[in-house]
Amino acid sequence: MAWLALLGVLVCTLPSALGTPDSEGLLPPAAHGCPHKCVCAADLLSCAGLGLQDVPVALPAAAADLDLSHNALQRLRPGWLTPLARLRALRLSHNELVALGRGVFANGSSLRLLDLSSNSLRALGRHDLDGLGALESLLLFNNFLAHLDEHAFHGLSALSHLYLGYNQLTAFSFHHLHGLPAAHLRTLDLSSNQLGRAPAPELAALPAFLKNGLYLHNNPLPCGCHLYRLLQRWRQRGLSAVCDFAQEYTCQAFKVPAARVRFFEYSGVFAHCLAAPGPGLERPEEQLHAQVGRSLRLYCNTSAPAARTAWVSPQHELLMAPGSRDGSIAVLADGSLAIGRVQKHHAGIFVCLAMGPHLRHNQTWEYNVSVHFPQPEPEAFNTGFTTLLGCAVGLALVLLYLFAPPCRCRRAYRSHHWPRAPGSLQELSAQSSMLSSTPPEAPSRKASVHKHVVFLEPGRRGLNGRVQLAVAEDFDLSTPVGLQLKAASESASSTGTEGLMVT
Protein backbone atom coordinates (compact mmCIF):
# COMPACT_ATOMS: atom_id res chain seq x y z
CA MET A 1 0.00 0.00 0.00
CA ALA A 2 2.91 2.37 0.58
CA TRP A 3 3.97 2.24 -3.00
CA LEU A 4 0.45 3.12 -4.15
CA ALA A 5 0.46 6.25 -2.00
CA LEU A 6 3.85 7.24 -3.40
CA LEU A 7 2.55 6.83 -6.97
CA GLY A 8 -0.41 9.14 -6.25
CA VAL A 9 1.89 11.84 -4.93
CA LEU A 10 4.05 11.64 -8.04
CA VAL A 11 1.01 11.91 -10.33
CA CYS A 12 -0.21 15.05 -8.54
CA THR A 13 3.15 16.79 -8.50
CA LEU A 14 4.29 15.93 -12.05
CA PRO A 15 2.15 18.52 -13.94
CA SER A 16 3.37 21.33 -11.72
CA ALA A 17 6.98 20.29 -12.21
CA LEU A 18 6.71 20.02 -15.98
CA GLY A 19 4.40 23.01 -16.39
CA THR A 20 0.96 23.31 -18.06
CA PRO A 21 0.45 23.39 -21.83
CA ASP A 22 -0.22 27.13 -21.59
CA SER A 23 2.96 27.88 -19.71
CA GLU A 24 5.87 29.69 -21.31
CA GLY A 25 8.20 27.55 -23.37
CA LEU A 26 5.67 25.09 -24.84
CA LEU A 27 4.01 27.46 -27.40
CA PRO A 28 5.53 27.98 -30.86
CA PRO A 29 7.49 31.22 -31.26
CA ALA A 30 5.10 32.69 -33.90
CA ALA A 31 2.07 32.38 -31.66
CA HIS A 32 4.01 33.77 -28.77
CA GLY A 33 4.88 36.96 -30.76
CA CYS A 34 1.25 37.90 -31.59
CA PRO A 35 0.04 40.80 -29.39
CA HIS A 36 -2.76 40.26 -26.92
CA LYS A 37 -6.24 40.28 -28.53
CA CYS A 38 -4.76 40.84 -31.98
CA VAL A 39 -5.27 38.44 -34.87
CA CYS A 40 -2.24 37.02 -36.66
CA ALA A 41 -2.71 35.15 -39.93
CA ALA A 42 0.47 34.37 -41.83
CA ASP A 43 1.87 37.82 -42.77
CA LEU A 44 -1.30 39.70 -41.72
CA LEU A 45 -1.59 41.38 -38.32
CA SER A 46 -4.89 42.97 -37.30
CA CYS A 47 -5.29 44.93 -34.09
CA ALA A 48 -8.27 46.99 -35.29
CA GLY A 49 -11.06 48.14 -33.00
CA LEU A 50 -9.39 47.21 -29.71
CA GLY A 51 -9.37 50.68 -28.13
CA LEU A 52 -5.54 50.80 -28.07
CA GLN A 53 -3.97 54.07 -26.87
CA ASP A 54 -0.42 53.00 -27.73
CA VAL A 55 1.08 50.75 -30.34
CA PRO A 56 1.86 47.26 -28.97
CA VAL A 57 5.51 46.89 -28.11
CA ALA A 58 6.04 43.39 -29.44
CA LEU A 59 5.12 43.05 -33.10
CA PRO A 60 5.88 39.95 -35.20
CA ALA A 61 8.63 40.50 -37.75
CA ALA A 62 6.74 38.51 -40.40
CA ALA A 63 3.94 41.08 -40.63
CA ALA A 64 3.53 42.58 -44.13
CA ASP A 65 0.10 44.15 -43.55
CA LEU A 66 -0.53 45.84 -40.20
CA ASP A 67 -4.00 47.15 -39.33
CA LEU A 68 -4.22 49.47 -36.32
CA SER A 69 -7.35 51.34 -37.42
CA HIS A 70 -10.34 52.24 -35.25
CA ASN A 71 -8.36 52.67 -32.04
CA ALA A 72 -7.46 55.63 -29.82
CA LEU A 73 -3.81 56.15 -30.79
CA GLN A 74 -2.63 59.67 -30.05
CA ARG A 75 1.05 59.45 -30.94
CA LEU A 76 3.63 57.28 -32.70
CA ARG A 77 7.05 56.56 -31.26
CA PRO A 78 10.12 57.26 -33.43
CA GLY A 79 11.64 54.04 -34.74
CA TRP A 80 8.66 51.85 -33.87
CA LEU A 81 8.74 50.27 -37.34
CA THR A 82 12.27 48.93 -36.93
CA PRO A 83 11.26 45.26 -36.37
CA LEU A 84 8.87 45.30 -39.34
CA ALA A 85 11.29 45.04 -42.24
CA ARG A 86 8.71 43.34 -44.48
CA LEU A 87 5.86 45.77 -43.90
CA ARG A 88 4.07 46.78 -47.12
CA ALA A 89 0.80 48.29 -45.87
CA LEU A 90 0.14 50.26 -42.68
CA ARG A 91 -3.42 51.25 -41.75
CA LEU A 92 -3.79 53.90 -39.04
CA SER A 93 -7.18 55.37 -39.98
CA HIS A 94 -9.85 56.35 -37.45
CA ASN A 95 -7.51 57.18 -34.59
CA GLU A 96 -6.75 60.38 -32.66
CA LEU A 97 -3.37 61.33 -34.11
CA VAL A 98 -2.82 65.08 -33.87
CA ALA A 99 0.76 65.23 -35.17
CA LEU A 100 3.34 62.85 -36.58
CA GLY A 101 6.79 64.11 -35.76
CA ARG A 102 10.22 63.49 -37.15
CA GLY A 103 11.42 59.90 -37.44
CA VAL A 104 8.11 58.08 -36.93
CA PHE A 105 8.52 56.41 -40.34
CA ALA A 106 12.30 56.28 -40.39
CA ASN A 107 12.31 52.50 -40.90
CA GLY A 108 9.41 52.28 -43.35
CA SER A 109 11.48 51.98 -46.50
CA SER A 110 9.41 49.00 -47.70
CA LEU A 111 5.99 50.61 -47.21
CA ARG A 112 3.77 50.90 -50.29
CA LEU A 113 0.50 52.01 -48.64
CA LEU A 114 0.05 54.36 -45.68
CA ASP A 115 -3.47 55.16 -44.48
CA LEU A 116 -3.67 58.12 -42.09
CA SER A 117 -7.24 59.11 -42.95
CA SER A 118 -9.88 60.12 -40.41
CA ASN A 119 -7.49 61.40 -37.74
CA SER A 120 -6.95 64.84 -36.20
CA LEU A 121 -3.83 65.94 -38.09
CA ARG A 122 -3.61 69.73 -38.42
CA ALA A 123 -0.28 70.21 -40.18
CA LEU A 124 2.30 68.26 -42.10
CA GLY A 125 5.93 69.11 -41.42
CA ARG A 126 8.90 68.87 -43.69
CA HIS A 127 10.32 65.71 -42.10
CA ASP A 128 7.12 63.98 -41.03
CA LEU A 129 7.24 61.59 -43.97
CA ASP A 130 10.97 60.92 -44.09
CA GLY A 131 11.94 57.33 -44.78
CA LEU A 132 9.03 56.52 -47.12
CA GLY A 133 10.97 56.42 -50.36
CA ALA A 134 9.00 53.47 -51.76
CA LEU A 135 5.54 54.76 -50.78
CA GLU A 136 3.01 54.69 -53.63
CA SER A 137 -0.32 55.58 -51.97
CA LEU A 138 -0.80 58.08 -49.14
CA LEU A 139 -4.26 58.61 -47.65
CA LEU A 140 -4.66 61.81 -45.63
CA PHE A 141 -8.31 62.64 -46.27
CA ASN A 142 -10.81 63.57 -43.54
CA ASN A 143 -8.34 65.31 -41.25
CA PHE A 144 -7.95 68.94 -40.14
CA LEU A 145 -4.95 69.77 -42.30
CA ALA A 146 -4.66 73.50 -42.82
CA HIS A 147 -0.94 73.79 -43.57
CA LEU A 148 1.43 71.77 -45.70
CA ASP A 149 5.13 72.42 -45.66
CA GLU A 150 6.53 73.45 -49.01
CA HIS A 151 8.67 70.29 -49.13
CA ALA A 152 6.41 67.97 -47.17
CA PHE A 153 6.35 65.34 -49.92
CA HIS A 154 9.83 65.92 -51.26
CA GLY A 155 11.20 62.52 -50.24
CA LEU A 156 8.31 60.50 -51.72
CA SER A 157 9.93 59.79 -55.05
CA ALA A 158 7.60 56.88 -55.93
CA LEU A 159 4.29 58.42 -54.82
CA SER A 160 1.51 57.99 -57.39
CA HIS A 161 -1.72 58.50 -55.39
CA LEU A 162 -2.23 61.27 -52.83
CA TYR A 163 -5.59 61.89 -51.16
CA LEU A 164 -5.98 65.22 -49.35
CA GLY A 165 -9.74 65.63 -49.62
CA TYR A 166 -11.98 66.76 -46.76
CA ASN A 167 -9.44 68.95 -45.03
CA GLN A 168 -9.09 72.69 -44.41
CA LEU A 169 -6.47 73.62 -47.00
CA THR A 170 -6.81 77.18 -48.27
CA ALA A 171 -3.87 77.08 -50.70
CA PHE A 172 -1.86 74.57 -52.66
CA SER A 173 1.10 75.23 -54.88
CA PHE A 174 0.50 73.68 -58.28
CA HIS A 175 3.77 75.09 -59.56
CA HIS A 176 6.02 72.63 -57.72
CA LEU A 177 3.32 70.46 -56.09
CA HIS A 178 4.97 70.78 -52.68
CA GLY A 179 7.84 68.64 -53.89
CA LEU A 180 5.65 65.87 -55.32
CA PRO A 181 7.20 63.83 -58.13
CA ALA A 182 5.19 64.74 -61.21
CA ALA A 183 6.72 61.88 -63.19
CA HIS A 184 4.83 59.26 -61.13
CA LEU A 185 1.84 61.14 -59.72
CA ARG A 186 -1.49 59.94 -61.10
CA THR A 187 -4.03 61.00 -58.48
CA LEU A 188 -4.12 64.27 -56.53
CA ASP A 189 -7.33 64.64 -54.55
CA LEU A 190 -7.86 68.19 -53.24
CA SER A 191 -11.65 68.06 -53.16
CA SER A 192 -13.79 69.40 -50.31
CA ASN A 193 -11.23 71.89 -49.01
CA GLN A 194 -11.20 75.69 -48.80
CA LEU A 195 -9.12 76.40 -51.88
CA GLY A 196 -9.84 79.94 -53.01
CA ARG A 197 -7.16 80.06 -55.69
CA ALA A 198 -6.45 77.72 -58.57
CA PRO A 199 -4.32 79.50 -61.20
CA ALA A 200 -5.39 78.30 -64.64
CA PRO A 201 -1.89 78.65 -66.19
CA GLU A 202 -0.39 76.41 -63.49
CA LEU A 203 -3.15 73.83 -63.95
CA ALA A 204 -2.69 73.90 -67.71
CA ALA A 205 1.04 73.19 -67.32
CA LEU A 206 0.44 69.95 -65.40
CA PRO A 207 1.10 66.65 -67.17
CA ALA A 208 -1.90 65.26 -69.00
CA PHE A 209 -2.08 62.05 -66.96
CA LEU A 210 -2.19 64.10 -63.74
CA LYS A 211 -5.01 66.30 -65.09
CA ASN A 212 -7.08 63.16 -65.45
CA GLY A 213 -6.69 62.49 -61.71
CA LEU A 214 -6.78 66.06 -60.33
CA TYR A 215 -9.91 66.42 -58.17
CA LEU A 216 -10.85 70.03 -57.39
CA HIS A 217 -14.60 69.78 -56.87
CA ASN A 218 -16.41 71.21 -53.84
CA ASN A 219 -14.01 74.12 -53.35
CA PRO A 220 -14.77 77.89 -53.34
CA LEU A 221 -12.82 78.46 -56.56
CA PRO A 222 -12.98 81.91 -58.20
CA CYS A 223 -15.38 82.36 -61.11
CA GLY A 224 -12.79 83.43 -63.67
CA CYS A 225 -13.00 83.01 -67.42
CA HIS A 226 -9.59 81.34 -67.68
CA LEU A 227 -10.47 78.64 -65.16
CA TYR A 228 -13.94 78.26 -66.65
CA ARG A 229 -12.62 77.67 -70.16
CA LEU A 230 -9.93 75.29 -68.89
CA LEU A 231 -12.38 73.11 -66.97
CA GLN A 232 -14.79 73.15 -69.89
CA ARG A 233 -12.06 71.85 -72.18
CA TRP A 234 -11.13 69.14 -69.67
CA ARG A 235 -14.74 68.07 -69.60
CA GLN A 236 -14.97 68.00 -73.39
CA ARG A 237 -11.84 65.84 -73.52
CA GLY A 238 -13.49 63.39 -71.11
CA LEU A 239 -11.11 63.72 -68.15
CA SER A 240 -12.65 61.53 -65.47
CA ALA A 241 -11.84 63.82 -62.53
CA VAL A 242 -14.06 66.53 -64.08
CA CYS A 243 -16.72 64.40 -65.77
CA ASP A 244 -17.42 62.19 -62.75
CA PHE A 245 -18.01 65.16 -60.42
CA ALA A 246 -19.29 67.80 -62.85
CA GLN A 247 -22.23 68.74 -60.63
CA GLU A 248 -19.95 69.41 -57.65
CA TYR A 249 -17.67 71.92 -59.37
CA THR A 250 -18.65 75.29 -57.93
CA CYS A 251 -17.12 78.73 -57.88
CA GLN A 252 -17.53 81.85 -55.81
CA ALA A 253 -19.20 84.72 -57.64
CA PHE A 254 -19.05 88.42 -56.80
CA LYS A 255 -16.70 87.64 -53.88
CA VAL A 256 -19.67 86.77 -51.68
CA PRO A 257 -19.23 83.63 -49.54
CA ALA A 258 -22.84 82.58 -50.00
CA ALA A 259 -22.87 83.18 -53.76
CA ARG A 260 -21.76 79.91 -55.29
CA VAL A 261 -22.63 78.84 -58.80
CA ARG A 262 -22.01 75.63 -60.66
CA PHE A 263 -19.36 75.68 -63.34
CA PHE A 264 -21.11 73.47 -65.84
CA GLU A 265 -24.64 74.84 -65.61
CA TYR A 266 -25.94 77.89 -67.42
CA SER A 267 -25.34 81.06 -65.44
CA GLY A 268 -25.10 84.72 -66.32
CA VAL A 269 -21.76 84.82 -64.54
CA PHE A 270 -20.03 83.16 -67.50
CA ALA A 271 -22.00 84.91 -70.26
CA HIS A 272 -19.14 87.28 -71.05
CA CYS A 273 -16.71 84.32 -71.13
CA LEU A 274 -18.74 82.67 -73.87
CA ALA A 275 -19.34 85.90 -75.77
CA ALA A 276 -15.65 86.75 -76.06
CA PRO A 277 -13.58 83.56 -75.82
CA GLY A 278 -9.91 84.13 -75.22
CA PRO A 279 -6.90 82.12 -76.37
CA GLY A 280 -6.55 78.62 -75.00
CA LEU A 281 -4.05 78.01 -72.22
CA GLU A 282 -3.31 74.47 -73.33
CA ARG A 283 -1.57 73.48 -76.49
CA PRO A 284 -3.85 71.13 -78.44
CA GLU A 285 -2.60 67.60 -78.83
CA GLU A 286 -1.14 66.60 -82.16
CA GLN A 287 -3.41 64.34 -84.20
CA LEU A 288 -1.86 61.21 -85.70
CA HIS A 289 -3.38 58.40 -87.77
CA ALA A 290 -1.81 54.95 -87.80
CA GLN A 291 -2.67 51.67 -89.47
CA VAL A 292 -2.78 48.35 -87.68
CA GLY A 293 0.42 46.41 -88.24
CA ARG A 294 2.50 49.42 -89.29
CA SER A 295 5.31 51.01 -87.27
CA LEU A 296 4.99 54.40 -85.55
CA ARG A 297 7.55 56.83 -84.16
CA LEU A 298 6.66 59.66 -81.75
CA TYR A 299 9.07 62.48 -80.95
CA CYS A 300 9.08 64.60 -77.81
CA ASN A 301 8.92 68.05 -79.44
CA THR A 302 9.69 70.16 -76.39
CA SER A 303 11.53 73.43 -76.67
CA ALA A 304 13.45 73.19 -73.39
CA PRO A 305 16.25 70.61 -73.12
CA ALA A 306 15.52 67.73 -70.79
CA ALA A 307 17.84 65.63 -68.70
CA ARG A 308 15.41 62.74 -68.86
CA THR A 309 12.40 61.82 -70.98
CA ALA A 310 9.46 59.67 -70.02
CA TRP A 311 6.30 58.63 -71.83
CA VAL A 312 2.85 57.71 -70.60
CA SER A 313 0.74 55.35 -72.68
CA PRO A 314 -3.06 55.54 -73.06
CA GLN A 315 -3.25 52.82 -70.39
CA HIS A 316 -1.39 55.17 -67.97
CA GLU A 317 1.73 53.04 -68.14
CA LEU A 318 4.90 54.98 -67.36
CA LEU A 319 7.67 54.25 -69.87
CA MET A 320 11.05 55.51 -68.79
CA ALA A 321 13.21 52.74 -70.16
CA PRO A 322 13.12 50.63 -73.31
CA GLY A 323 10.28 48.18 -73.37
CA SER A 324 6.74 47.93 -72.07
CA ARG A 325 4.41 45.33 -70.70
CA ASP A 326 3.54 43.86 -74.07
CA GLY A 327 6.99 44.41 -75.57
CA SER A 328 5.71 46.44 -78.51
CA ILE A 329 6.78 49.89 -77.24
CA ALA A 330 10.31 51.13 -76.65
CA VAL A 331 11.78 54.45 -75.50
CA LEU A 332 14.87 55.09 -77.60
CA ALA A 333 18.08 56.87 -76.62
CA ASP A 334 17.01 60.16 -78.23
CA GLY A 335 13.82 60.23 -76.14
CA SER A 336 11.47 59.21 -78.94
CA LEU A 337 8.86 56.49 -78.61
CA ALA A 338 8.86 53.63 -81.13
CA ILE A 339 5.98 51.21 -81.68
CA GLY A 340 6.97 48.20 -83.75
CA ARG A 341 3.51 46.98 -84.77
CA VAL A 342 0.56 49.25 -84.07
CA GLN A 343 -2.46 47.53 -82.51
CA LYS A 344 -5.93 48.72 -81.54
CA HIS A 345 -4.99 49.19 -77.86
CA HIS A 346 -2.40 51.76 -78.90
CA ALA A 347 -5.18 54.23 -79.71
CA GLY A 348 -5.43 57.18 -77.32
CA ILE A 349 -3.28 59.95 -75.92
CA PHE A 350 0.47 59.46 -75.56
CA VAL A 351 2.15 62.02 -73.33
CA CYS A 352 5.81 62.93 -73.44
CA LEU A 353 7.21 64.29 -70.19
CA ALA A 354 10.48 66.14 -70.49
CA MET A 355 12.05 66.36 -67.05
CA GLY A 356 14.83 68.46 -65.69
CA PRO A 357 16.93 67.88 -62.58
CA HIS A 358 15.36 66.24 -59.52
CA LEU A 359 12.55 64.74 -61.64
CA ARG A 360 10.75 68.06 -61.92
CA HIS A 361 8.81 68.33 -65.13
CA ASN A 362 9.62 71.06 -67.62
CA GLN A 363 7.25 70.49 -70.51
CA THR A 364 4.76 67.98 -71.86
CA TRP A 365 3.77 67.06 -75.38
CA GLU A 366 0.64 65.13 -76.30
CA TYR A 367 -0.21 62.92 -79.26
CA ASN A 368 -3.74 61.76 -79.95
CA VAL A 369 -3.25 58.55 -81.95
CA SER A 370 -6.13 57.15 -83.99
CA VAL A 371 -5.70 53.54 -85.09
CA HIS A 372 -7.60 52.08 -88.03
CA PHE A 373 -7.38 49.02 -90.21
CA PRO A 374 -5.91 49.42 -93.71
CA GLN A 375 -8.39 49.87 -96.53
CA PRO A 376 -8.62 46.85 -98.90
CA GLU A 377 -7.07 47.50 -102.29
CA PRO A 378 -9.59 47.74 -105.16
CA GLU A 379 -9.61 44.84 -107.63
CA ALA A 380 -8.04 45.36 -111.06
CA PHE A 381 -10.47 46.30 -113.85
CA ASN A 382 -11.05 43.22 -116.03
CA THR A 383 -11.80 44.49 -119.53
CA GLY A 384 -12.21 41.01 -120.97
CA PHE A 385 -14.93 40.12 -118.51
CA THR A 386 -16.82 43.37 -119.04
CA THR A 387 -16.60 42.98 -122.83
CA LEU A 388 -18.04 39.46 -122.65
CA LEU A 389 -20.79 40.66 -120.34
CA GLY A 390 -21.66 43.49 -122.74
CA CYS A 391 -21.87 41.09 -125.68
CA ALA A 392 -24.16 38.75 -123.75
CA VAL A 393 -26.48 41.59 -122.77
CA GLY A 394 -26.57 42.86 -126.37
CA LEU A 395 -27.38 39.39 -127.74
CA ALA A 396 -30.17 38.99 -125.20
CA LEU A 397 -31.70 42.30 -126.26
CA VAL A 398 -31.53 41.30 -129.98
CA LEU A 399 -33.22 37.96 -129.30
CA LEU A 400 -35.86 39.68 -127.22
CA TYR A 401 -36.56 42.07 -130.08
CA LEU A 402 -36.80 39.31 -132.68
CA PHE A 403 -38.80 36.65 -130.87
CA ALA A 404 -40.83 38.52 -128.28
CA PRO A 405 -44.57 38.81 -129.20
CA PRO A 406 -45.45 42.23 -130.64
CA CYS A 407 -47.58 44.69 -128.74
CA ARG A 408 -51.26 44.25 -129.46
CA CYS A 409 -52.12 47.81 -130.24
CA ARG A 410 -55.67 47.03 -131.41
CA ARG A 411 -56.58 46.16 -127.84
CA ALA A 412 -55.34 49.53 -126.66
CA TYR A 413 -57.10 51.19 -129.60
CA ARG A 414 -60.44 49.70 -128.65
CA SER A 415 -60.08 50.78 -125.06
CA HIS A 416 -60.36 54.43 -126.13
CA HIS A 417 -63.90 53.91 -127.49
CA TRP A 418 -63.22 55.53 -130.84
CA PRO A 419 -66.52 56.76 -132.23
CA ARG A 420 -67.36 54.68 -135.22
CA ALA A 421 -69.31 55.68 -138.34
CA PRO A 422 -72.08 53.41 -139.55
CA GLY A 423 -71.62 51.01 -142.34
CA SER A 424 -68.34 50.19 -143.89
CA LEU A 425 -66.48 52.88 -141.92
CA GLN A 426 -65.99 50.34 -139.14
CA GLU A 427 -63.23 48.84 -141.22
CA LEU A 428 -61.26 52.11 -141.19
CA SER A 429 -57.77 51.46 -139.92
CA ALA A 430 -56.48 53.61 -137.01
CA GLN A 431 -52.92 52.86 -138.06
CA SER A 432 -53.14 54.60 -141.44
CA SER A 433 -50.68 57.38 -142.02
CA MET A 434 -52.51 58.84 -145.05
CA LEU A 435 -56.04 60.09 -145.15
CA SER A 436 -57.89 59.32 -148.35
CA SER A 437 -60.42 61.82 -149.51
CA THR A 438 -62.56 59.08 -151.11
CA PRO A 439 -64.41 56.95 -148.60
CA PRO A 440 -65.24 53.31 -149.29
CA GLU A 441 -68.04 52.66 -151.66
CA ALA A 442 -71.48 52.44 -150.14
CA PRO A 443 -74.88 52.33 -151.83
CA SER A 444 -76.35 55.07 -149.71
CA ARG A 445 -73.42 57.48 -149.82
CA LYS A 446 -71.70 59.52 -152.51
CA ALA A 447 -68.58 61.53 -152.12
CA SER A 448 -67.23 64.27 -154.29
CA VAL A 449 -63.90 63.78 -155.97
CA HIS A 450 -63.01 67.45 -155.46
CA LYS A 451 -62.46 67.23 -151.73
CA HIS A 452 -59.24 68.59 -150.20
CA VAL A 453 -57.85 68.32 -146.71
CA VAL A 454 -56.52 71.36 -144.88
CA PHE A 455 -54.40 71.24 -141.68
CA LEU A 456 -55.21 74.00 -139.22
CA GLU A 457 -52.62 75.32 -136.80
CA PRO A 458 -53.27 73.98 -133.30
CA GLY A 459 -52.36 77.19 -131.50
CA ARG A 460 -55.13 79.15 -133.20
CA ARG A 461 -57.93 76.72 -132.49
CA GLY A 462 -57.13 75.94 -128.85
CA LEU A 463 -56.91 72.16 -129.15
CA ASN A 464 -53.95 71.75 -126.83
CA GLY A 465 -51.44 71.20 -129.60
CA ARG A 466 -53.40 68.60 -131.54
CA VAL A 467 -53.76 68.97 -135.35
CA GLN A 468 -57.26 69.64 -136.63
CA LEU A 469 -58.37 68.84 -140.16
CA ALA A 470 -60.83 70.93 -142.10
CA VAL A 471 -62.26 70.89 -145.59
CA ALA A 472 -61.20 73.38 -148.25
CA GLU A 473 -63.52 76.09 -149.49
CA ASP A 474 -64.29 74.32 -152.80
CA PHE A 475 -65.86 71.35 -150.98
CA ASP A 476 -69.16 70.48 -152.55
CA LEU A 477 -71.75 71.30 -149.91
CA SER A 478 -74.48 69.74 -151.96
CA THR A 479 -73.06 66.33 -151.46
CA PRO A 480 -74.76 64.38 -148.69
CA VAL A 481 -72.91 63.86 -145.49
CA GLY A 482 -70.56 61.00 -145.99
CA LEU A 483 -68.20 61.03 -143.01
CA GLN A 484 -68.33 63.02 -139.77
CA LEU A 485 -65.83 62.68 -136.91
CA LYS A 486 -65.65 64.75 -133.74
CA ALA A 487 -62.64 67.03 -133.52
CA ALA A 488 -62.00 66.41 -129.83
CA SER A 489 -62.08 62.63 -129.96
CA GLU A 490 -58.88 60.78 -129.10
CA SER A 491 -57.29 58.19 -131.36
CA ALA A 492 -54.82 55.40 -130.75
CA SER A 493 -53.27 56.21 -134.11
CA SER A 494 -50.05 58.19 -134.10
CA THR A 495 -50.86 60.28 -137.24
CA GLY A 496 -53.57 61.29 -139.61
CA THR A 497 -56.95 60.57 -137.97
CA GLU A 498 -57.19 62.84 -134.88
CA GLY A 499 -59.39 65.87 -135.17
CA LEU A 500 -60.87 64.88 -138.58
CA MET A 501 -64.09 66.51 -139.70
CA VAL A 502 -65.60 65.80 -143.10
CA THR A 503 -69.01 67.11 -144.13
Side-chain angles (χ1 to χ4, degrees), residues 75 80 88 106 122 170 207 216 261 266 273 280 292 308 347 367 375 389 429 432 445 453 478 486:
R75 66 184 184 89
W80 70 284
R88 297 293 185 272
R122 301 183 181 276
T170 58
L216 294 172
V261 297
Y266 178 76
C273 300
V292 173
R308 194 173 183 184
Y367 289 93
Q375 295 293 335
L389 180 62
S429 174
S432 177
R445 294 189 182 137
V453 177
S478 61
K486 293 183 180 180

Side-chain angles (χ1 to χ4, degrees), residues 5-175:
L6 180 61
L7 181 61
V9 173
L10 292 175
V11 171
C12 293
T13 57
L14 185 60
S16 59
L18 296 177
T20 62
D22 294 335
S23 63
E24 185 177 357
L26 294 181
L27 293 177
H32 174 72
C34 190
H36 182 61
K37 295 184 179 180
C38 295
V39 177
C40 298
D43 58 350
L44 303 180
L45 173 58
S46 176
C47 299
L50 299 180
L52 301 178
Q53 296 184 356
D54 291 304
V55 178
V57 177
L59 296 175
D65 192 321
L66 175 58
D67 188 358
L68 292 170
S69 61
H70 297 276
N71 282 290
L73 302 178
Q74 297 182 358
R75 66 184 184 89
L76 298 174
R77 300 187 308 271
W80 70 284
L81 293 177
T82 302
L84 306 176
R86 305 178 185 177
L87 194 62
R88 297 293 185 272
L90 176 59
R91 311 176 196 278
L92 293 167
S93 60
H94 296 277
N95 278 281
E96 300 176 6
L97 297 174
V98 178
L100 296 177
R102 187 168 186 171
V104 294
F105 301 113
N107 301 101
S109 58
S110 60
L111 269 180
R112 300 292 187 272
L113 169 67
L114 176 58
D115 187 358
L116 290 167
S117 62
S118 301
N119 276 276
S120 301
L121 299 175
R122 301 183 181 276
L124 204 59
R126 183 168 186 170
H127 301 286
D128 286 351
L129 301 175
D130 287 351
L132 299 175
L135 192 66
E136 297 175 355
S137 299
L138 176 58
L139 284 64
L140 288 167
F141 62 88
N142 196 25
N143 276 277
F144 298 94
L145 291 173
H147 174 71
L148 299 176
D149 189 87
E150 185 178 359
H151 301 283
F153 310 105
H154 186 72
L156 309 181
S157 58
L159 191 66
S160 58
H161 303 280
L162 175 59
Y163 298 89
L164 290 168
Y166 290 95
N167 278 285
Q168 299 178 1
L169 297 175
T170 58
F172 188 88
S173 175
F174 295 97
H175 179 65

Side-chain angles (χ1 to χ4, degrees), residues 97-393:
L97 297 174
V98 178
L100 296 177
R102 187 168 186 171
V104 294
F105 301 113
N107 301 101
S109 58
S110 60
L111 269 180
R112 300 292 187 272
L113 169 67
L114 176 58
D115 187 358
L116 290 167
S117 62
S118 301
N119 276 276
S120 301
L121 299 175
R122 301 183 181 276
L124 204 59
R126 183 168 186 170
H127 301 286
D128 286 351
L129 301 175
D130 287 351
L132 299 175
L135 192 66
E136 297 175 355
S137 299
L138 176 58
L139 284 64
L140 288 167
F141 62 88
N142 196 25
N143 276 277
F144 298 94
L145 291 173
H147 174 71
L148 299 176
D149 189 87
E150 185 178 359
H151 301 283
F153 310 105
H154 186 72
L156 309 181
S157 58
L159 191 66
S160 58
H161 303 280
L162 175 59
Y163 298 89
L164 290 168
Y166 290 95
N167 278 285
Q168 299 178 1
L169 297 175
T170 58
F172 188 88
S173 175
F174 295 97
H175 179 65
H176 62 81
L177 299 176
H178 286 272
L180 286 169
H184 298 276
L185 196 61
R186 301 292 182 275
T187 302
L188 178 57
D189 181 14
L190 294 170
S191 62
S192 302
N193 276 277
Q194 301 298 321
L195 297 179
R197 181 177 177 270
E202 295 183 9
L203 296 178
L206 294 175
F209 50 85
L210 178 54
K211 295 173 186 176
N212 191 56
L214 178 61
Y215 296 88
L216 294 172
H217 58 275
N218 199 17
N219 275 288
L221 301 173
C223 294
C225 287
H226 291 296
L227 184 59
Y228 172 72
R229 296 192 193 102
L230 182 65
L231 293 178
Q232 283 284 11
R233 186 173 187 269
W234 288 4
R235 188 186 184 190
Q236 293 173 357
R237 291 176 57 187
L239 299 186
S240 58
V242 179
C243 295
D244 295 344
F245 298 92
Q247 297 298 320
E248 299 183 35
Y249 272 85
T250 60
C251 66
Q252 193 135 356
F254 312 113
K255 298 182 179 180
V256 179
R260 284 195 180 187
V261 297
R262 299 185 185 275
F263 264 105
F264 305 112
E265 292 184 1
Y266 178 76
S267 176
V269 177
F270 302 113
H272 64 286
C273 300
L274 299 175
L281 296 174
E282 292 183 315
R283 178 179 57 247
E285 61 269 8
E286 185 174 342
Q287 303 291 331
L288 288 179
H289 298 273
Q291 290 186 2
V292 173
R294 298 288 185 86
S295 60
L296 183 63
R297 186 88 171 267
L298 305 179
Y299 294 91
C300 193
N301 298 325
T302 55
S303 58
R308 194 173 183 184
T309 303
W311 289 82
V312 178
S313 68
Q315 290 76 29
H316 304 289
E317 178 187 2
L318 183 64
L319 305 173
M320 300 184 65
S324 66
R325 293 180 182 177
D326 57 3
S328 61
I329 303 178
V331 179
L332 304 182
D334 59 351
S336 61
L337 184 73
I339 303 177
R341 294 178 59 86
V342 175
Q343 301 298 327
K344 291 296 292 183
H345 65 271
H346 292 141
I349 295 181
F350 284 86
V351 182
C352 171
L353 177 63
M355 296 171 292
H358 307 293
L359 294 180
R360 294 184 181 179
H361 69 279
N362 293 330
Q363 286 182 322
T364 58
W365 190 273
E366 303 176 19
Y367 289 93
N368 191 356
V369 178
S370 301
V371 178
H372 57 87
F373 289 95
Q375 295 293 335
E377 297 182 359
E379 296 182 358
F381 187 74
N382 194 337
T383 56
F385 175 77
T386 53
T387 303
L388 180 61
L389 180 62
C391 294
V393 172

Side-chain angles (χ1 to χ4, degrees), residues 410 413-414 418-430 440 445 483:
R410 184 178 299 276
Y413 157 76
R414 291 180 179 178
W418 182 275
R420 300 182 181 183
S424 61
L425 291 178
Q426 295 180 357
E427 302 299 327
L428 183 64
S429 174
R445 294 189 182 137
L483 178 62

